[in-house]
Amino acid sequence: MKKIKSTGSLRVLGEFVKKFHNNDNVLVPNPTWANHIAILEKSGLKTDKYKYYNFINNGFDKDGMLQDLSNAANGSIVLLHACCHNPTGVDPNLNDWDDILNKISEKKLLPILDMAYQGFGSGNPITDLNILFKFNEAVVNGKLSNFMLSQSFAKNMGLYGERVGSLSIITKDSDESVRVKSQLEKIIRPLYSSPPSHGSKLVEIILSNETIYNQWLKDVKIMSDRLNDMRKLLFDKLKNDYHNELNWDHLLNQKGMFCYTGLNQDQVSKLIDKSVYLTSDGRISIAGIYEKNVDYLANAINEVTK
C-alpha cells in the first residue's frame, strides 16, 4: 500500500499495468468520472466504455454491463466504482456484485476499484467495505489472481486539500507482494518521489485514537444522512408541493454526493438561465442543496420539465 490520493494512485496504477500487464485496454463505465479517462490515457492505456447507467429509468444497467464484460477480450482491465458512483450515484447491490465478480473471474479481467466516497453509501465506512471483502475473498479462493484499489479520504475525512489517499495491489501471496512493491517504488520515484505527510499523520491520529475514531464514524454518518435528507427533501418538493408528474424515484435510490437527474441538455440550459447550474448531462451536486434553496431548485426543475 502507498499513501497517495485517488487521482495520483490511479496514475501510478495506470503506469504499472501499462508496463507489466499484457493488455493495455481499460473498460470504464458509461458514464464515469471525466478524469478517469484522462488519467488512464495519459498513462498510455486505451479506454473503452461498458454499459452501466440506464438512461431510460435512471438506474443500473446490470444486463448491459454483464454483456459488455462478456464481450471483452480476456485479460482486459476493468475500472469499477466501489460505491457512490460518480457521476450517477447509482450502485450495484451486493448480489449484483457477486454476478459482476463471476464475470470478471470468467474473463480473467484485472479489476481496478476506485473508492472515493467510503461511508457515504451506507453511512458507515466499514459497511461500505463489503464490496472489497468480496474481492479479497475471491483472491484468497483463487477466483481472482489479484485486484487493484485506489482510495481517497479527501471527502470522508474533510482533508481535500491535503491529498489523502492510498493505492493497494492485492496479490495472491507475499512473494508477489514484495516484487510488486519494488516495481511500484521505481514507478513512483520519477513521478512524485514521496507523498506529503501532514494529511496521513492526521489520518493516523484519527484511526489510532478510539475516541476520535468513534467521533469520525459519527461525523461520516451525519454527512451521509444529510445527503439522503436533501435527496428526500427535493423529491418531496417535486412530488408533493409541485405535483410534478415525472418519476423522481431515482433521487431516493441513488447514493453519495452526486445525482443524475435525468434532465436533458435543453432543460439544463433553461435551468442555467434561472441561475441553477449543473453539468450538461444533468448531474447535480446533492451537497449543494440545503433548506433555503431547495424550494427555488424544485420550482425551477418543475418549470423546465412541464
Side-chain angles (χ1 to χ4, degrees):
M1 177 182 290
K2 292 290 182 181
K3 294 180 287 186
I4 177 177
K5 193 176 179 293
S6 182
T7 300
S9 64
L10 283 169
R11 178 59 191 277
V12 172
L13 291 173
E15 295 281 344
F16 184 86
V17 296
K18 174 63 178 177
K19 186 174 182 179
F20 294 105
H21 194 52
N22 58 9
N23 191 314
D24 63 358
N25 189 59
V26 186
L27 301 170
V28 302
N30 181 29
T32 193
W33 180 45
N35 209 25
H36 275 150
I37 294 174
I39 293 168
L40 295 168
E41 292 186 349
K42 193 69 174 178
S43 303
L45 301 170
K46 303 170 186 176
T47 58
D48 287 318
K49 294 180 179 180
Y50 61 82
K51 296 182 185 70
Y52 183 85
Y53 184 73
N54 187 320
F55 290 86
I56 297 175
N57 65 16
N58 299 304
F60 175 47
D61 186 358
K62 177 181 176 179
D63 292 339
M65 178 178 178
L66 292 177
Q67 185 60 54
D68 282 352
L69 294 184
S70 293
N71 294 335
N74 283 8
S76 296
I77 306 156
V78 57
L79 178 71
L80 305 161
H81 296 234
C83 70
C84 301
H85 181 275
N86 180 6
T88 68
V90 172
D91 291 336
N93 61 40
L94 288 178
N95 290 330
D96 294 334
W97 277 111
D98 288 333
D99 294 333
I100 293 168
L101 253 173
N102 287 336
K103 188 59 63 177
I104 289 172
S105 175
E106 174 188 324
K107 299 293 293 186
K108 302 185 185 305
L109 305 179
L110 173 61
I112 300 179
L113 275 71
D114 188 5
M115 176 171 269
Y117 306 98
Q118 182 183 344
F120 289 178
S122 66
N124 186 309
I126 309 306
T127 301
D128 281 357
L129 290 175
N130 283 335
I131 295 97
L132 299 189
F133 296 154
K134 286 181 176 291
F135 277 78
N136 283 334
E137 184 179 6
V139 173
V140 171
N141 294 336
K143 195 172 184 177
L144 287 180
S145 296
N146 43 53
F147 73 94
M148 299 178 170
L149 172 64
S150 169
Q151 289 176 281
S152 169
F153 304 102
K155 292 87 175 175
N156 62 12
M157 286 192 169
L159 295 170
Y160 200 90
E162 297 293 341
R163 319 310 291 167
V164 178
S166 68
L167 71 84
S168 305
I169 299 181
I170 291 77
T171 63
K172 61 184 178 181
D173 57 48
S174 57
D175 289 340
E176 186 176 52
S177 293
V178 171
R179 295 193 295 271
V180 166
K181 182 175 182 291
S182 68
Q183 295 304 317
L184 281 174
E185 289 170 345
K186 290 181 180 180
I187 290 172
I188 286 170
R189 179 62 175 166
L191 283 178
Y192 65 91
S193 188
S194 61
S197 62
H198 295 97
S200 62
K201 288 179 179 177
L202 290 170
V203 172
E204 183 179 358
I205 291 171
I206 293 169
L207 298 183
S208 62
N209 183 296
E210 184 176 0
T211 300
I212 299 176
Y213 173 71
N214 287 329
Q215 182 60 54
W216 173 64
L217 292 179
K218 292 178 182 178
D219 291 342
V220 172
K221 182 68 164 58
I222 289 171
M223 288 189 284
S224 175
D225 286 348
R226 182 191 175 278
L227 292 172
N228 291 333
D229 289 345
M230 293 304 102
R231 289 178 179 278
K232 187 176 186 305
L233 190 56
L234 179 58
F235 175 86
D236 288 341
K237 288 285 183 181
L238 287 167
K239 297 303 293 184
N240 300 325
D241 290 5
Y242 291 99
H243 305 288
N244 190 284
E245 295 182 356
L246 296 180
N247 184 355
W248 295 101
D249 290 349
H250 55 284
L251 288 176
L252 304 178
N253 296 332
Q254 296 172 10
K255 298 292 184 182
M257 291 177 60
F258 303 109
C259 169
Y260 250 34
T261 58
L263 300 173
N264 59 42
Q265 288 191 20
D266 181 59
Q267 292 166 334
V268 168
S269 179
K270 291 177 180 177
L271 282 175
I272 291 174
D273 290 338
K274 298 176 180 293
S275 298
V276 175
Y277 298 94
L278 58 164
T279 55
S280 60
D281 53 15
R283 186 193 79 158
I284 62 172
S285 172
I286 296 297
I289 303 174
Y290 52 96
E291 288 82 355
K292 291 184 179 180
N293 70 5
V294 67
D295 191 66
Y296 185 91
L297 173 62
N299 180 54
I301 292 176
N302 181 60
E303 288 183 354
V304 302
T305 55
K306 286 181 179 177

